[in-house]
Amino acid sequence: MRRVVFNQKGGVGKSSIACNLAAASAAEGYRTLLVDLDPQANATYYLTGLVNDAIPSGIADFFRQTLSSVTAHGKKPRVAITETRYSNLHLITASPDLSDLQSKLESKFKINKLRKLLVELAEDYERIYIDTPPALNFYTFSALVAAERLLIPFDCDSFSRHALHSVMAEVEELRQDHNPALQVEGVVVNQFAGRTALHQTLVDQLRGEGVPVLPVYLSSSIKMRESHQASVPLVHMAPRHKLALEFADLLDVLERAA
């Protein structure tokens, strides 16, 4: 199962959702891989605590190999996989180098390389999660072509609601043209405050518009920021916390529907 977490709007919790679902998946016993495609490398930092030059070579080096003359003459590009401190959970790291590579990859139309890589890695991993940058660029396009399922985070405000419809329209066009097998698993409601009438109204409006909102809402909590600071997924740092339990419930919904 190859699952991508994507929304063009920044600050909606893509990395938090991808990392915590991947960590929960691994904790459930699935051999799990997280692929970080964002040059900001937030998921990489979250799972390792490493930054800049300390980050092991990862997806940027893989894409660099696809551009090399050696690869063009038949040598298969390889990718370094980093073991995390958590059982069953591995990571393909991101780095700022991805920004410099993007225009070269676009000009050479390397859009299918990630899909081929992940299809091969699926022989070793039962679950693959892909974290993406907040833009419909080469990397997110590659992820959407490579994935089987799509999760779209939504952070409960009017701007996000308008952006959500745009994202779903663009994804549908891409799905029809490039990856008919891609399924929108649903919209993940994030930063939800149940006592706030606005949040419930926004979610009800989305449901009324036919948007596939998933039934588990992720609460707003300062504990998530503490989790980021500690570079420990919330499902490991505070497994009995309300938000950690919501991630577990969300994973259960996804696995039962898979």
Side-chain angles (χ1 to χ4, degrees), residues 119-180:
V119 167
E120 292 178 6
L121 290 176
E123 297 179 6
D124 297 320
Y125 293 96
E126 297 168 281
R127 299 292 182 269
I128 298 176
Y129 287 84
I130 312 169
D131 187 30
T132 56
L136 190 57
N137 60 17
F138 172 85
Y139 298 115
T140 52
F141 196 97
S142 293
L144 291 166
V145 168
E148 298 169 291
R149 304 291 174 90
L150 167 65
L151 296 173
I152 306 174
F154 172 76
D155 67 348
C156 286
D157 67 46
S158 297
F159 294 128
S160 289
R161 181 186 170 197
H162 295 309
L164 179 61
H165 288 286
S166 174
V167 167
M168 294 188 69
E170 289 172 343
V171 166
E172 179 57 23
E173 183 177 352
L174 181 147
R175 191 189 70 79
Q176 291 181 11
D177 292 343
H178 300 282
N179 186 6

Side-chain angles (χ1 to χ4, degrees), residues 59-218:
I59 199 66
D61 188 56
F62 167 79
F63 281 125
R64 194 177 290 111
Q65 291 176 60
T66 70
L67 295 167
S68 73
S69 59
V70 174
T71 301
H73 286 90
K75 185 177 179 181
K76 180 188 272 189
R78 301 178 64 84
V79 68
I81 296 176
T82 299
E83 290 189 17
T84 72
R85 70 192 84 173
Y86 311 108
S87 179
N88 294 320
L89 182 58
H90 292 176
L91 169 70
I92 297 179
T93 61
S95 69
D97 293 348
L98 288 170
S99 295
D100 298 331
L101 290 168
Q102 182 172 323
S103 61
K104 298 175 184 177
L105 291 164
E106 288 173 338
S107 67
K108 297 293 186 179
F109 203 72
K110 300 292 185 177
I111 208 71
N112 289 303
K113 293 298 183 180
L114 180 67
R115 180 185 60 80
K116 292 177 181 178
L117 171 68
L118 297 188
V119 167
E120 292 178 6
L121 290 176
E123 297 179 6
D124 297 320
Y125 293 96
E126 297 168 281
R127 299 292 182 269
I128 298 176
Y129 287 84
I130 312 169
D131 187 30
T132 56
L136 190 57
N137 60 17
F138 172 85
Y139 298 115
T140 52
F141 196 97
S142 293
L144 291 166
V145 168
E148 298 169 291
R149 304 291 174 90
L150 167 65
L151 296 173
I152 306 174
F154 172 76
D155 67 348
C156 286
D157 67 46
S158 297
F159 294 128
S160 289
R161 181 186 170 197
H162 295 309
L164 179 61
H165 288 286
S166 174
V167 167
M168 294 188 69
E170 289 172 343
V171 166
E172 179 57 23
E173 183 177 352
L174 181 147
R175 191 189 70 79
Q176 291 181 11
D177 292 343
H178 300 282
N179 186 6
L182 179 66
Q183 297 181 32
V184 178
E185 276 189 299
V187 171
V188 180
V189 175
N190 193 31
Q191 300 288 337
F192 183 76
R195 296 181 181 179
T196 303
L198 172 62
H199 287 191
Q200 188 61 58
T201 298
L202 284 170
V203 173
D204 290 344
Q205 288 173 341
L206 289 178
R207 289 189 178 279
E209 293 162 0
V211 174
V213 177
L214 289 165
V216 178
Y217 307 158
L218 302 176

